[in-house]
Amino acid sequence: MIGRLSGTLLEKAPPQVLLDVQGVGYELEAPMSTIFALPAEGQAVVLHTHMVVREDAQLLYGFASREERTMFRELLRITGIGAKMALAVLSTMSTSELFSVIEAGDDDRLTRVPGIGKKTAQRVLLEMRGRLSRFEQLGPAGSSASGGAASQDRAEAQDALQALGYSAAEARKLVGKVDASVSGAQDVIRLALQAAAR
């Protein structure tokens, strides 16, 4: 998997960008929020990426922040939401706006996204509401630098635990057992696994 690329921005042709990484040109699709945040062509850039391997294609998606990538991945887990629709959502609103929309249950705001009807909007709200705690750092409460970093560490720890086979609920519970003063995703994971072994 390619999780991050650092290189020189060669082209911006929304929704695609071309990034030169030590002589290799990577084509990525990105939401408009990321494209607007990119520097001028010829400048250095770092993008967090999500790779999709299909029978007929290998697709790479780029994001200006981990938060955007996290929200993109959460959207992909919803039935009926593909990569293009997830990009459309993130092109229409920021991650914190989407967090607020989900928290408020504002399906009208979601139906303004091209391709999302009332039923799809309600499904997004229903499925995402149950997972809000996984990306609390994206909401307004996670805006402070230290609080956001701590929330990010915990979100990364939950992702890692899920990759190890724990369910989302189990991962959340294990991370919740780790003292709030613990910082660093690796330390949170280590202590959560110790808690699981007890």
Side-chain angles (χ1 to χ4, degrees):
M1 270 315 241
I2 299 170
R4 179 179 174 274
L5 289 174
S6 177
T8 305
L9 180 64
L10 294 181
E11 283 178 27
K12 284 190 272 190
Q16 293 188 328
V17 296
L18 181 62
L19 191 64
D20 180 309
V21 180
Q22 296 184 354
V24 179
Y26 289 89
E27 283 185 353
L28 305 97
E29 286 197 33
M32 292 308 296
S33 52
T34 290
I35 290 173
F36 292 144
L38 290 174
E41 292 177 2
Q43 299 293 311
V45 68
V46 174
L47 291 175
H48 300 277
T49 60
H50 176 82
M51 187 174 183
V52 174
V53 179
R54 297 193 322 221
E55 223 175 83
D56 59 341
Q58 293 184 17
L59 305 168
L60 202 54
Y61 299 93
F63 306 92
S65 68
R66 283 185 186 175
E67 291 79 14
E68 272 190 328
R69 183 180 65 184
T70 298
M71 193 64 90
F72 178 78
R73 287 174 170 171
E74 292 296 331
L75 286 165
L76 288 182
R77 293 175 61 196
I78 297 169
T79 308
I81 299 283
K84 287 201 182 297
M85 197 173 289
L87 285 180
V89 171
L90 293 174
S91 292
T92 308
M93 60 187 91
S94 70
T95 53
S96 59
E97 285 172 329
L98 181 53
F99 183 93
S100 298
V101 164
I102 295 163
E103 207 170 35
D106 186 359
D107 58 354
D108 287 336
R109 177 73 175 86
L110 276 174
T111 57
R112 292 184 211 152
V113 176
I116 294 190
K118 195 80 168 171
K119 283 185 180 177
T120 305
Q122 289 171 347
R123 190 181 318 119
V124 169
L125 294 175
L126 180 69
E127 292 190 34
M128 291 286 269
R129 226 181 259 140
R131 292 186 248 142
L132 277 180
S133 62
R134 283 199 59 211
F135 43 87
E136 279 174 348
Q137 78 275 12
L138 307 182
S143 58
S144 74
S146 59
S151 294
Q152 183 65 38
D153 290 340
R154 290 180 176 266
E156 285 179 32
Q158 284 183 26
D159 286 342
L161 290 170
Q162 284 184 257
L164 291 172
Y166 291 95
S167 70
E170 289 170 333
R172 191 165 42 252
K173 187 176 177 184
L174 288 171
V175 169
K177 290 181 179 179
V178 177
D179 191 283
S181 64
V182 176
S183 62
Q186 289 182 349
D187 288 335
V188 175
I189 294 164
R190 180 176 52 79
L191 292 170
L193 288 171
Q194 285 175 3
R198 286 186 198 128

